[in-house]
Coordinates of all heavy atoms in Angstrom, one line a residue:
M310 N -25.2 9.4 13.0 CA -26.0 10.3 13.8 C -25.4 11.7 13.8 O -24.2 11.8 13.9 CB -26.0 9.8 15.3 CG -26.7 10.7 16.3 SD -28.5 10.8 16.0 CE -29.0 9.1 16.6
I311 N -26.2 12.7 13.6 CA -25.8 14.1 13.6 C -26.1 14.6 15.0 O -27.2 14.8 15.5 CB -26.5 14.9 12.5 CG1 -26.3 14.3 11.2 CG2 -26.1 16.4 12.6 CD1 -24.9 14.2 10.8
T312 N -25.0 15.0 15.7 CA -25.1 15.5 17.1 C -25.0 17.0 17.1 O -25.2 17.6 18.2 CB -24.0 14.8 18.0 OG1 -22.7 15.1 17.4 CG2 -24.3 13.3 18.1
G313 N -24.5 17.6 16.0 CA -24.4 19.1 16.0 C -24.5 19.6 14.6 O -24.1 18.9 13.7
V314 N -25.1 20.8 14.4 CA -25.3 21.4 13.1 C -24.8 22.8 13.2 O -25.3 23.6 14.1 CB -26.8 21.4 12.7 CG1 -26.9 22.0 11.3 CG2 -27.2 19.9 12.6
L315 N -23.9 23.2 12.4 CA -23.4 24.6 12.4 C -24.4 25.6 12.0 O -25.1 25.4 11.0 CB -22.2 24.7 11.4 CG -21.5 26.1 11.4 CD1 -20.8 26.4 12.7 CD2 -20.5 26.1 10.3
Q316 N -24.6 26.6 12.9 CA -25.6 27.6 12.6 C -25.3 28.3 11.3 O -24.2 28.8 11.0 CB -25.6 28.6 13.7 CG -26.8 29.6 13.7 CD -26.8 30.6 14.9 OE1 -26.0 30.5 15.7 NE2 -27.8 31.4 14.9
N317 N -26.4 28.5 10.5 CA -26.3 29.1 9.1 C -25.4 28.4 8.2 O -25.1 28.9 7.1 CB -25.9 30.6 9.3 CG -26.9 31.4 10.0 OD1 -28.1 31.2 9.9 ND2 -26.4 32.4 10.8
G318 N -25.0 27.2 8.5 CA -24.2 26.4 7.5 C -25.1 25.7 6.5 O -26.3 25.8 6.6
P319 N -24.5 25.1 5.5 CA -25.3 24.4 4.5 C -26.3 23.4 5.0 O -27.5 23.3 4.5 CB -24.3 23.7 3.6 CG -23.0 24.6 3.8 CD -23.1 25.0 5.2
A320 N -25.9 22.6 6.0 CA -26.8 21.6 6.5 C -28.0 22.2 7.3 O -29.1 21.8 7.2 CB -26.1 20.7 7.5
A321 N -27.7 23.3 8.1 CA -28.7 24.0 8.8 C -29.7 24.6 7.8 O -31.0 24.6 8.0 CB -28.1 25.1 9.7
Q322 N -29.2 25.2 6.7 CA -30.1 25.8 5.7 C -31.0 24.8 5.0 O -32.1 25.1 4.5 CB -29.3 26.6 4.7 CG -28.6 27.8 5.3 CD -27.7 28.5 4.4 OE1 -27.6 28.2 3.2 NE2 -27.0 29.6 4.8
A323 N -30.5 23.5 4.9 CA -31.2 22.5 4.3 C -32.3 21.9 5.2 O -33.1 21.1 4.8 CB -30.3 21.4 3.8
G324 N -32.2 22.2 6.5 CA -33.2 21.7 7.5 C -32.7 20.6 8.3 O -33.5 19.9 9.0
L325 N -31.4 20.3 8.3 CA -30.9 19.2 9.1 C -30.9 19.6 10.5 O -30.5 20.7 10.9 CB -29.5 18.8 8.6 CG -29.0 17.4 8.9 CD1 -29.9 16.4 8.1 CD2 -27.5 17.2 8.5
R326 N -31.2 18.6 11.5 CA -31.2 18.9 12.9 C -30.4 17.9 13.7 O -30.2 16.8 13.2 CB -32.7 18.9 13.4 CG -33.7 19.8 12.7 CD -35.1 19.5 13.2 NE -36.1 20.3 12.5 CZ -37.4 20.1 12.7 NH1 -37.8 19.2 13.6 NH2 -38.3 20.8 12.0
P327 N -30.0 18.3 14.9 CA -29.3 17.3 15.7 C -30.3 16.1 16.0 O -31.5 16.4 16.3 CB -29.0 18.1 17.0 CG -28.9 19.5 16.5 CD -29.9 19.6 15.4
G328 N -29.8 14.9 16.0 CA -30.7 13.8 16.2 C -31.1 13.1 14.9 O -31.5 11.9 14.9
D329 N -30.9 13.8 13.8 CA -31.2 13.2 12.5 C -30.1 12.1 12.2 O -28.9 12.3 12.6 CB -31.2 14.2 11.4 CG -32.4 15.1 11.4 OD1 -33.3 14.8 12.2 OD2 -32.4 16.1 10.7
V330 N -30.5 11.1 11.5 CA -29.6 10.1 11.0 C -29.5 10.1 9.5 O -30.5 9.9 8.8 CB -30.0 8.6 11.5 CG1 -29.0 7.6 11.0 CG2 -30.1 8.6 13.0
I331 N -28.3 10.4 9.0 CA -28.0 10.4 7.6 C -27.8 9.0 7.1 O -26.9 8.3 7.6 CB -26.9 11.3 7.2 CG1 -27.2 12.8 7.6 CG2 -26.6 11.2 5.7 CD1 -26.0 13.7 7.3
V332 N -28.6 8.5 6.1 CA -28.4 7.1 5.6 C -27.9 7.1 4.2 O -27.5 6.1 3.7 CB -29.8 6.4 5.7 CG1 -30.1 6.2 7.2 CG2 -30.9 7.1 5.0
S333 N -28.0 8.3 3.5 CA -27.4 8.3 2.1 C -27.1 9.7 1.8 O -27.8 10.7 2.2 CB -28.4 7.7 1.1 OG -29.5 8.5 0.8
V334 N -26.1 9.9 0.9 CA -25.7 11.2 0.4 C -25.6 11.1 -1.2 O -24.8 10.2 -1.6 CB -24.4 11.7 1.0 CG1 -23.9 13.0 0.3 CG2 -24.5 11.9 2.5
A335 N -26.4 11.8 -1.9 CA -26.3 11.8 -3.3 C -26.6 10.4 -3.8 O -25.8 9.9 -4.7 CB -25.0 12.4 -3.9
E336 N -27.5 9.7 -3.3 CA -27.9 8.3 -3.6 C -26.9 7.3 -3.2 O -27.1 6.1 -3.5 CB -28.2 8.2 -5.1 CG -29.1 9.3 -5.7 CD -30.5 9.4 -5.1 OE1 -30.9 8.3 -4.6 OE2 -31.1 10.4 -5.1
Q337 N -25.9 7.7 -2.5 CA -24.9 6.7 -2.0 C -25.1 6.3 -0.6 O -25.2 7.2 0.3 CB -23.5 7.3 -2.2 CG -23.1 7.6 -3.6 CD -23.0 6.3 -4.5 OE1 -22.6 5.3 -4.1 NE2 -23.5 6.4 -5.7
P338 N -25.3 5.1 -0.3 CA -25.5 4.7 1.1 C -24.4 5.1 2.1 O -23.2 5.1 1.7 CB -25.6 3.2 1.1 CG -26.0 2.9 -0.3 CD -25.3 3.9 -1.2
V339 N -24.7 5.5 3.3 CA -23.8 5.9 4.3 C -24.0 5.0 5.5 O -25.1 4.9 6.1 CB -24.0 7.4 4.7 CG1 -23.1 7.7 5.9 CG2 -23.6 8.3 3.5
R340 N -22.9 4.3 5.9 CA -23.0 3.4 7.0 C -22.2 3.8 8.2 O -22.4 3.2 9.3 CB -22.6 2.0 6.5 CG -23.5 1.4 5.4 CD -23.0 0.0 5.0 NE -24.0 -0.6 4.1 CZ -24.0 -0.4 2.8 NH1 -23.0 0.3 2.2 NH2 -24.9 -1.0 2.0
N341 N -21.2 4.6 8.0 CA -20.3 5.0 9.2 C -19.8 6.4 8.9 O -20.0 7.0 7.9 CB -19.2 4.0 9.4 CG -18.4 3.8 8.1 OD1 -18.1 4.7 7.3 ND2 -18.2 2.5 7.8
V342 N -19.1 6.9 9.9 CA -18.6 8.3 9.9 C -17.6 8.5 8.7 O -17.7 9.5 8.0 CB -17.9 8.7 11.2 CG1 -17.3 10.1 11.1 CG2 -19.0 8.7 12.3
A343 N -16.7 7.5 8.5 CA -15.8 7.6 7.4 C -16.5 7.7 6.1 O -16.1 8.4 5.2 CB -14.8 6.5 7.5
G344 N -17.5 6.9 5.9 CA -18.3 6.9 4.7 C -19.0 8.3 4.5 O -19.1 8.7 3.3
L345 N -19.5 8.9 5.6 CA -20.1 10.2 5.4 C -19.1 11.2 5.0 O -19.4 12.1 4.1 CB -20.8 10.6 6.7 CG -21.4 12.0 6.8 CD1 -22.5 12.1 5.8 CD2 -21.9 12.3 8.2
L346 N -17.9 11.2 5.7 CA -16.9 12.2 5.3 C -16.5 12.1 3.8 O -16.4 13.1 3.1 CB -15.7 12.0 6.2 CG -15.9 12.2 7.7 CD1 -14.5 11.9 8.4 CD2 -16.3 13.6 8.0
A347 N -16.3 10.9 3.4 CA -16.0 10.7 2.0 C -17.1 11.1 1.0 O -16.8 11.7 0.0 CB -15.6 9.2 1.8
A348 N -18.3 10.8 1.4 CA -19.4 11.1 0.5 C -19.7 12.6 0.4 O -19.9 13.1 -0.7 CB -20.7 10.4 1.0
V349 N -19.6 13.3 1.5 CA -19.7 14.7 1.5 C -18.6 15.4 0.8 O -18.8 16.4 0.0 CB -19.9 15.3 2.9 CG1 -19.9 16.8 2.9 CG2 -21.2 14.8 3.5
A350 N -17.4 14.9 1.0 CA -16.2 15.5 0.3 C -16.3 15.3 -1.2 O -15.8 16.2 -1.9 CB -14.9 14.8 0.9
A351 N -17.0 14.3 -1.7 CA -17.1 14.1 -3.1 C -18.1 15.0 -3.8 O -18.1 15.1 -5.0 CB -17.4 12.6 -3.4
L352 N -18.9 15.7 -3.0 CA -19.9 16.6 -3.6 C -19.2 17.8 -4.2 O -18.2 18.3 -3.7 CB -20.9 17.1 -2.5 CG -21.7 16.0 -1.8 CD1 -22.6 16.6 -0.7 CD2 -22.5 15.2 -2.8
T353 N -19.8 18.4 -5.2 CA -19.3 19.6 -5.9 C -19.9 20.8 -5.2 O -21.1 21.0 -5.1 CB -19.7 19.6 -7.4 OG1 -19.2 18.4 -8.0 CG2 -19.1 20.8 -8.0
P354 N -19.0 21.7 -4.7 CA -19.5 22.9 -4.0 C -20.4 23.7 -4.9 O -20.1 23.9 -6.1 CB -18.2 23.6 -3.6 CG -17.2 22.6 -3.5 CD -17.5 21.6 -4.6
G355 N -21.5 24.1 -4.4 CA -22.4 25.0 -5.1 C -23.5 24.2 -5.9 O -24.5 24.8 -6.3
L356 N -23.4 22.9 -6.0 CA -24.4 22.1 -6.7 C -25.3 21.3 -5.7 O -24.7 20.7 -4.8 CB -23.7 21.1 -7.7 CG -23.0 21.7 -8.9 CD1 -22.4 20.6 -9.7 CD2 -23.9 22.6 -9.7
P357 N -26.6 21.5 -5.8 CA -27.5 20.8 -4.8 C -27.3 19.3 -4.9 O -27.0 18.7 -5.9 CB -28.9 21.2 -5.3 CG -28.7 22.4 -6.2 CD -27.3 22.2 -6.8
A358 N -27.4 18.7 -3.7 CA -27.3 17.3 -3.5 C -28.4 16.8 -2.6 O -28.8 17.6 -1.7 CB -25.9 16.9 -3.0
R359 N -28.8 15.5 -2.7 CA -29.9 15.0 -1.9 C -29.4 14.2 -0.7 O -28.5 13.4 -0.9 CB -30.8 14.1 -2.8 CG -32.0 13.5 -2.0 CD -32.8 12.6 -2.9 NE -33.4 13.4 -3.9 CZ -34.2 12.9 -4.9 NH1 -34.4 11.6 -4.9 NH2 -34.7 13.7 -5.8
L360 N -29.9 14.6 0.4 CA -29.6 13.8 1.6 C -30.9 13.0 2.0 O -32.0 13.6 2.1 CB -29.2 14.7 2.8 CG -28.0 15.6 2.6 CD1 -27.8 16.5 3.9 CD2 -26.8 14.8 2.4
E361 N -30.7 11.8 2.4 CA -31.8 11.0 2.9 C -31.5 10.8 4.4 O -30.5 10.3 4.8 CB -31.9 9.6 2.3 CG -33.1 8.8 2.8 CD -33.2 7.4 2.2 OE1 -32.4 7.2 1.3 OE2 -34.1 6.7 2.6
V362 N -32.4 11.3 5.2 CA -32.3 11.3 6.7 C -33.5 10.6 7.3 O -34.6 10.5 6.7 CB -32.1 12.7 7.3 CG1 -30.9 13.4 6.6 CG2 -33.4 13.5 7.1
V363 N -33.2 10.1 8.5 CA -34.3 9.5 9.3 C -34.5 10.3 10.6 O -33.5 10.5 11.3 CB -34.0 8.0 9.6 CG1 -35.1 7.5 10.5 CG2 -33.9 7.2 8.3
R364 N -35.7 10.8 10.7 CA -36.0 11.7 11.9 C -37.2 11.1 12.6 O -38.3 11.0 12.1 CB -36.3 13.1 11.5 CG -36.6 14.1 12.6 CD -36.9 15.5 12.1 NE -35.7 16.0 11.4 CZ -35.8 17.0 10.5 NH1 -36.9 17.7 10.3 NH2 -34.7 17.5 9.9
R365 N -36.9 10.6 13.8 CA -38.0 9.9 14.6 C -38.6 8.8 13.8 O -39.9 8.7 13.7 CB -39.0 10.9 15.1 CG -38.5 11.9 16.1 CD -39.6 12.8 16.7 NE -39.0 13.8 17.6 CZ -38.7 13.5 18.9 NH1 -38.9 12.3 19.4 NH2 -38.2 14.5 19.6
N366 N -37.8 8.0 13.2 CA -38.2 6.8 12.4 C -38.9 7.1 11.2 O -39.5 6.2 10.5 CB -39.0 5.8 13.3 CG -38.2 5.3 14.5 OD1 -37.0 4.9 14.3 ND2 -38.8 5.2 15.6
A367 N -38.9 8.3 10.7 CA -39.6 8.7 9.5 C -38.5 9.2 8.5 O -37.7 10.0 8.8 CB -40.6 9.8 9.7
H368 N -38.5 8.6 7.3 CA -37.6 9.0 6.2 C -37.9 10.3 5.6 O -39.1 10.6 5.3 CB -37.5 7.9 5.2 CG -36.8 6.7 5.6 ND1 -35.5 6.4 5.2 CD2 -37.2 5.7 6.4 CE1 -35.1 5.2 5.8 NE2 -36.2 4.8 6.5
Q369 N -36.9 11.2 5.4 CA -37.1 12.5 4.7 C -36.0 12.7 3.7 O -34.9 12.2 3.9 CB -37.1 13.6 5.8 CG -38.3 13.5 6.8 CD -38.3 14.8 7.7 OE1 -37.8 15.8 7.3 NE2 -38.9 14.7 8.8
Q370 N -36.4 13.5 2.7 CA -35.4 13.9 1.6 C -35.1 15.4 1.8 O -36.0 16.2 1.8 CB -36.0 13.6 0.2 CG -36.3 12.1 0.0 CD -35.1 11.2 -0.1 OE1 -34.0 11.6 -0.5 NE2 -35.3 9.9 0.2
L371 N -33.8 15.7 1.9 CA -33.4 17.1 2.1 C -32.5 17.5 0.9 O -31.7 16.6 0.5 CB -32.7 17.3 3.4 CG -33.5 17.0 4.7 CD1 -32.7 17.3 5.9 CD2 -34.8 17.8 4.7
Q372 N -32.6 18.7 0.5 CA -31.7 19.2 -0.6 C -30.7 20.1 0.1 O -31.0 21.1 0.7 CB -32.5 20.0 -1.6 CG -33.3 19.2 -2.6 CD -32.5 18.4 -3.6 OE1 -31.3 18.8 -3.8 NE2 -33.1 17.4 -4.2
V373 N -29.4 19.8 0.0 CA -28.4 20.6 0.6 C -27.4 21.1 -0.5 O -27.2 20.4 -1.5 CB -27.5 19.8 1.6 CG1 -26.8 18.6 0.9 CG2 -26.5 20.7 2.3
V374 N -27.0 22.4 -0.4 CA -26.1 23.0 -1.3 C -24.7 23.1 -0.6 O -24.5 24.0 0.3 CB -26.5 24.4 -1.8 CG1 -25.5 25.0 -2.7 CG2 -27.9 24.3 -2.4
P375 N -23.8 22.2 -0.9 CA -22.5 22.1 -0.1 C -21.7 23.3 -0.4 O -21.7 23.9 -1.5 CB -21.9 20.8 -0.6 CG -22.5 20.6 -1.9 CD -23.9 21.1 -1.9
A376 N -20.9 23.8 0.6 CA -19.9 24.8 0.4 C -18.6 24.1 0.2 O -18.5 22.9 0.2 CB -19.9 25.7 1.6
Q377 N -17.6 24.9 -0.1 CA -16.2 24.3 -0.3 C -15.5 24.1 1.0 O -15.5 25.0 1.9 CB -15.4 25.3 -1.2 CG -14.0 24.7 -1.5 CD -13.2 25.5 -2.5 OE1 -13.8 26.2 -3.3 NE2 -11.9 25.5 -2.4
R378 N -15.0 22.9 1.2 CA -14.3 22.6 2.4 C -13.0 23.3 2.5 O -12.2 23.3 1.5 CB -14.1 21.1 2.5 CG -13.3 20.7 3.7 CD -13.0 19.2 3.6 NE -12.1 18.8 4.7 CZ -12.5 18.4 5.9 NH1 -13.8 18.4 6.2 NH2 -11.7 18.1 6.8
K379 N -12.7 23.9 3.6 CA -11.4 24.5 3.9 C -10.4 23.4 4.3 O -10.8 22.5 5.0 CB -11.5 25.6 4.9 CG -12.3 26.7 4.5 CD -12.4 27.8 5.7 CE -13.3 29.0 5.3 NZ -13.3 30.0 6.4
A380 N -9.2 23.5 3.8 CA -8.2 22.5 4.2 C -7.9 22.5 5.6 O -8.0 23.5 6.3 CB -6.9 22.7 3.4
A381 N -7.5 21.3 6.1 CA -7.1 21.1 7.5 C -8.1 21.5 8.5 O -7.9 22.2 9.5 CB -5.8 21.9 7.8
V382 N -9.4 21.1 8.2 CA -10.4 21.2 9.2 C -10.8 19.7 9.7 O -11.6 19.1 9.0 CB -11.7 21.8 8.6 CG1 -12.8 22.0 9.7 CG2 -11.3 23.2 8.1
P383 N -10.1 19.2 10.7 CA -10.2 17.8 11.0 C -11.5 17.4 11.5 O -12.1 18.0 12.3 CB -9.1 17.6 12.0 CG -8.9 18.9 12.7 CD -9.2 19.9 11.6

Side-chain angles (χ1 to χ4, degrees):
M310 177 70 70
I311 302 303
T312 57
V314 179
L315 182 67
Q316 187 176 2
N317 297 324
Q322 294 176 3
L325 203 65
R326 302 175 186 174
D329 289 347
V330 179
I331 298 180
V332 295
S333 74
V334 176
E336 313 300 333
Q337 297 298 318
V339 170
R340 296 182 174 86
N341 50 47
V342 174
L345 176 64
L346 296 179
V349 172
L352 299 178
T353 302
L356 293 182
R359 180 178 297 177
L360 300 180
E361 182 179 356
V362 303
V363 175
R364 180 180 299 164
R365 296 187 180 278
N366 297 318
H368 286 257
Q369 296 188 21
Q370 303 288 335
L371 302 179
Q372 289 285 341
V373 63
V374 180
Q377 181 173 334
R378 176 186 175 87
K379 296 181 181 179
V382 182

